[in-house]
Amino acid sequence: MNAPATATHLLPEVPLRPVPPAMLDALAARFGAQLSTALAVREQHGRDEGSIQAPPPSAVLFAESTQDVADAIRLAAEHDVPVIPYGAGSSLEGHLLAIQGGISIDVSRMNRLLRVDADDLTVTVQPGITRKQLNEAIKDTGLFFPIDPGADASIGGMAATRASGTNAVRYGTMRENVLALEVVTASGEAIRTGTRAKKSAAGYDLTRLIVGSEGTLGVITEVTLRLYPLPEAVSAAICSFPSIEEAVRTVIQTIQLGVPIARVELIDQHTVRMVNAHSKLGLREEPMLLMEFHGSPAGAQEQAETVQAIAQEWNGNAFEWATTPEERTRLWTARHNAYFAAVQSRPGCRAISTDTCVPISRLADCLLDSVIEADASGIPYFLVGHVGDGNFHFGYLIDPNSAEERQKAEALNHQLVARALALGGTCTGEHGVGIHKMGFLLDETGPGAVAMMRAIKQALDPKNILNPGKIFAM
């Protein structure tokens, strides 16, 4: 495979592109207090939740409108300076790192809800609004936005990385739920892609081109999303299993039978132990499925009974119900805090997170062999998975000062991705390529596809100023 299992893969050696004083002067004149060159601010915008280190950007612009973004990009184009979009900073693969220098465009102040069309089940928002802020703002409409990557990510960042998460098994990913965009191009022009209509056959699907492009083709300044009615009934349950294989076989059978389960998460015994310590829970320290069912009261009950029967066939035990909203929230909060629980279990560590997705029929093969390798490595780890759609994550907890541990973790990741690709899967189900998965992308798609992506990038961003050095090297 093309991605070496060494630390040299983490940060490509590329020359920095300096920001001329004339550009900083022009930015200061245009934006005043919206522009910061303070080191603390720049360092905050020069790191994400991953383990890759890079120098901070030269300046941070806090954009407040589409016009702000357009004016900043025009100046960047004039001076041949990179621009890196920044939302909530929750990415894991180095998407927001200024590896070639440049300025960070923070869109967190662009967080307004612009339009709700309840009859059409759509909403239009600015990119800086987070998923929790969005759902809080529309809670009185009886609708909700279901995509839940765990972190309270910004909607713009979720669109840029084609995020998904715990609800994807029923509601899909950002790919299926973004209808239209406003995007500022490399020339500083604001364009619109898509409409609020449910379907269209009008020309190239530019919306889908931008979704998942990780800021390399344009900066998203508005997003129109699908909404869904709040389910009449929601029930959640946990079920423990003697082994990971039995838990995974329960999931595979559930999906193959067509049960419309809303969420089904796998947590291994190590993660349960970490979550118990972090969230003060008393969960059985065995492999566990955390499930949620949406629908009418009768429909949700029927789904749950079907899954419970399947689980019993695979030796599932301690099937427990979370019957109140507070109890469901407590369980899902614990799941979403699994990353932080794991990091706290080894003080001073950093987590190298993996992200593969395979066809559901090959999930057990991929997951179980990867567990054997992780156990043999001696590196502490946690395992969680949106296993209803074949997606799972290891988090290898390494000493950031140990080159040996980092190399072992990268080797495990390398082996995991190779296995997933051999089984017809992908190198990234939801985190995106960023810096960390560039070599793996070449393995997955082949040189012809990567060459086509580079050609698109060159055509739309000839000066290579839009988040350069991500997805593929240019």
Side-chain angles (χ1 to χ4, degrees):
M1 297 183 72
N2 292 287
T6 66
T8 58
H9 173 55
L10 298 183
L11 190 61
E13 292 186 8
V14 292
L16 290 175
R17 296 159 65 177
V19 179
M23 180 179 175
L24 290 175
D25 291 343
L27 286 169
R30 165 64 176 82
F31 295 106
Q34 290 175 245
L35 183 74
S36 177
T37 56
L39 179 60
V41 175
R42 293 190 292 116
E43 287 181 337
Q44 176 194 354
H45 289 75
R47 60 175 181 263
D48 61 8
E49 294 293 342
S51 62
I52 305 171
Q53 303 295 321
S58 296
V60 177
L61 169 65
F62 292 90
E64 297 178 356
S65 67
T66 298
Q67 191 62 54
D68 284 354
V69 175
D71 289 349
I73 290 180
R74 287 193 194 102
L75 281 170
E78 179 182 340
H79 293 278
D80 196 21
V81 166
V83 292
I84 306 99
Y86 184 98
S90 58
S91 61
L92 290 164
E93 302 291 356
H95 302 89
L96 56 82
L97 303 185
I99 61 173
Q100 295 186 19
I103 63 169
S104 174
I105 299 183
D106 185 321
V107 298
S108 61
R109 297 182 185 177
M110 297 175 63
N111 61 357
R112 291 190 297 126
L113 187 152
L114 301 175
R115 173 174 176 169
V116 179
D117 293 281
D119 291 343
D120 294 323
L121 304 180
T122 66
V123 64
T124 299
V125 299
Q126 291 184 307
I129 194 170
T130 69
R131 64 176 185 87
K132 290 183 180 179
Q133 290 172 340
L134 170 57
N135 278 321
E136 179 66 21
I138 63 175
K139 66 181 181 180
D140 294 335
T141 66
L143 305 172
F144 82 121
F145 181 64
I147 309 304
D148 176 6
D152 191 21
S154 67
I155 295 297
M158 289 169 63
T161 56
R162 200 158 55 216
S164 54
T166 61
N167 278 319
V169 64
R170 175 153 184 172
Y171 297 99
T173 72
M174 291 298 283
R175 179 182 63 185
E176 291 81 30
N177 288 285
V178 175
L179 293 171
L181 296 168
E182 179 184 75
V183 181
V184 177
T185 68
S187 65
E189 178 186 5
I191 66 167
R192 292 188 177 273
T193 73
T195 70
R196 291 191 301 110
K198 190 172 183 179
K199 62 182 181 179
S200 172
Y204 293 167
D205 192 344
L206 297 180
T207 302
R208 299 295 175 274
L209 179 63
I210 297 298
V211 172
S213 63
E214 302 182 14
T216 63
L217 299 180
V219 178
I220 295 170
T221 51
E222 283 186 20
V223 189
T224 298
L225 302 164
R226 298 183 191 273
L227 298 179
Y228 295 81
L230 284 165
E232 185 181 355
V234 177
S235 61
I238 57 174
C239 185
S240 298
F241 293 83
S243 70
I244 289 177
E245 180 172 10
E246 287 159 313
V248 171
R249 296 294 180 189
T250 297
V251 174
I252 292 173
Q253 191 170 342
T254 297
I255 301 304
Q256 290 177 339
L257 285 176
V259 179
I261 193 168
R263 300 182 181 185
V264 55
E265 294 287 298
L266 171 68
I267 308 175
D268 80 326
Q269 65 271 24
H270 304 301
T271 311
V272 174
R273 183 183 69 252
M274 296 168 184
V275 165
N276 277 342
H278 179 269
S279 300
K280 305 300 187 288
L281 300 177
L283 302 172
R284 292 172 62 121
E285 294 185 359
E286 296 178 338
M288 174 181 294
L289 294 180
L290 176 55
M291 298 164 280
E292 193 167 276
F293 308 93
H294 296 178
S296 66
Q301 181 178 349
E302 181 182 4
Q303 295 169 38
E305 290 174 350
T306 300
V307 175
Q308 187 169 5
I310 296 170
Q312 289 172 347
E313 293 179 13
W314 291 102
N315 300 314
N317 54 66
F319 208 95
E320 299 178 17
W321 294 97
T323 55
T324 66
E326 293 78 13
E327 181 67 13
R328 290 198 306 272
T329 298
R330 186 175 73 96
L331 287 175
W332 284 110
T333 299
R335 160 60 185 91
H336 288 327
N337 287 338
Y339 176 87
F340 303 104
V343 170
Q344 288 183 14
S345 73
R346 188 182 184 188
C349 77
R350 294 299 296 268
I352 293 184
S353 296
T354 70
D355 168 38
T356 51
C357 187
V358 295
I360 191 69
S361 64
R362 308 310 302 272
L363 177 61
D365 299 329
C366 190
L367 188 51
L368 296 174
D369 286 346
S370 301
V371 167
I372 291 171
E373 288 177 348
D375 287 338
S377 74
I379 293 179
Y381 70 90
F382 65 98
L383 169 61
V384 296
H386 319 311
V387 286
D389 52 15
N391 186 201
F392 62 90
H393 313 286
F394 282 86
Y396 306 116
L397 304 175
I398 68 164
D399 177 352
N401 298 314
S402 171
E404 180 184 1
E405 288 193 11
R406 180 178 290 277
Q407 186 163 352
K408 277 187 178 180
E410 288 297 321
L412 288 169
N413 184 34
H414 180 93
Q415 292 160 359
L416 171 59
V417 172
R419 180 175 297 110
L421 296 183
L423 295 173
T426 177
C427 66
T428 172
E430 58 186 5
H431 292 171
V433 175
I435 299 169
H436 198 201
K437 296 286 182 81
M438 288 193 292
F440 297 136
L441 177 69
L442 182 60
D443 291 314
E444 179 174 330
T445 64
V450 170
M452 182 177 289
M453 294 182 206
R454 286 197 178 105
I456 293 170
K457 169 72 168 171
Q458 178 65 32
L460 299 184
D461 181 17
K463 293 188 174 182
N464 194 27
I465 63 169
L466 295 176
N467 208 10
K470 314 299 165 55
I471 304 182
F472 39 73
M474 283 190 68

